[in-house]
Amino acid sequence: MAVLAESGSNPDVGLLYDINGLAKDAPHWFDRTMEFVGEYGLLLAMVLLVLWCWWTVRRRGGEDAAPSVAALVWAPLAAGIAVLVNVPIRGFVERPRPFVQHQGLDVLVSGKTDYSFVSDHATITMALGVGLFVAHRRFGLVGIGLALLEGFCRVFMGVHYPTDVVGGFALGTAVALLLSPLAMALLTPLMRAVERSPRAGWLVRGRAAESGRHDALLPGVRTSAESEERDLAA
């Protein structure tokens, strides 16, 4: 198989050797950093990004708060469903890890004994990224960028073929997008009910947004902007 990589007749294996070869030339500390980032760091970053987006959405409030929070709830659900869908796919394809069939790889993470196709890490991060994009485009673009970086790390670490990563991206995107209309139809009314709850409403709408909405509903109450305009006119 190494001969195939050198001859270029197998682009998947050839790209695997090219990307993983960067690990051989990199200093030890960089490999250890990539090991942590690719195994745990980017997953943690995706979780923090979802929480940051939730905090931003609830503080902003407005009519879009409930649908946006519903989309954020859908993002981790989509990732979980995609991983479950991947279980029979792995069992059907039964593709061994690249270091099992190919010599000379610099494997940064040991103990990987399961099948390679498709990559769970790529599936989870892309499902989260696409789910974020449904809720908030700017946060979603950052999430998709982190997912692409996750895919690169998995090949760099020598634990996945490039096509494992591409398959994970496709699976995560398909689940997040195709099931999104059904998920939003179910989750949006639920989030609107939570928004109206006196105890749990803060999960959807922050206190500042909530007070602003109540002020607008009370007759005779002026907003700060209106008060300032009238003071200037006086």
Side-chain angles (χ1 to χ4, degrees):
M1 290 296 181
V3 175
L4 290 176
E6 293 175 359
S7 64
S9 58
N10 189 330
D12 194 24
V13 179
L15 190 57
L16 166 67
Y17 274 95
D18 289 340
I19 296 177
N20 181 255
L22 299 174
K24 293 183 177 181
D25 299 331
H28 179 75
W29 65 265
F30 185 81
D31 285 349
R32 298 286 73 81
T33 301
M34 290 292 285
E35 175 187 348
F36 174 80
V37 169
E39 193 73 7
Y40 308 106
L42 287 172
L43 291 176
L44 177 60
M46 291 297 297
V47 173
L48 294 177
L49 188 64
V50 171
L51 292 176
W52 185 9
C53 184
W54 165 74
W55 184 262
T56 301
V57 167
R58 65 179 290 275
R59 286 188 63 189
R60 184 180 59 189
E63 294 298 325
D64 294 335
S68 297
V69 173
L72 289 174
V73 173
W74 167 238
L77 291 177
I81 293 174
V83 171
L84 291 177
V85 172
N86 189 27
V87 173
I89 293 177
R90 280 194 168 191
F92 177 76
V93 177
E94 294 185 346
R95 186 183 199 182
R97 294 279 181 171
F99 53 80
V100 175
Q101 294 185 323
H102 305 288
Q103 303 296 322
L105 292 174
D106 189 5
V107 183
L108 303 185
V109 179
S110 59
K112 299 290 184 180
T113 58
D114 55 343
Y115 293 120
S116 184
F117 186 89
V118 295
S119 167
D120 279 339
H121 281 73
T123 301
I124 292 172
T125 52
M126 186 55 74
L128 288 172
V130 173
L132 266 174
F133 187 81
V134 174
H136 195 289
R137 289 190 176 182
R138 282 182 293 177
F139 280 95
L141 289 175
V142 175
I144 292 173
L146 292 178
L148 295 175
L149 179 58
E150 178 68 79
F152 175 83
C153 288
R154 302 307 288 176
V155 181
F156 181 93
M157 294 159 60
V159 294
H160 279 292
Y161 294 94
T163 48
D164 297 338
V165 169
V166 174
F169 289 162
L171 178 59
T173 301
V175 171
L177 288 184
L178 294 180
L179 297 182
S180 177
L182 176 61
M184 293 299 293
L186 296 174
L187 292 173
T188 300
L190 178 60
M191 291 302 105
R192 292 197 186 279
V194 172
E195 183 181 14
R196 293 191 295 269
S197 171
R199 295 184 178 181
W202 63 272
L203 292 171
V204 178
R205 187 188 297 271
R207 292 182 178 178
E210 188 70 21
S211 62
R213 185 182 67 169
H214 289 327
D215 290 346
L217 293 176
L218 291 175
V221 176
R222 295 180 298 174
T223 63
S224 59
E226 292 174 342
S227 300
E228 184 177 352
E229 290 178 359
R230 295 190 181 184
D231 292 340
L232 290 175

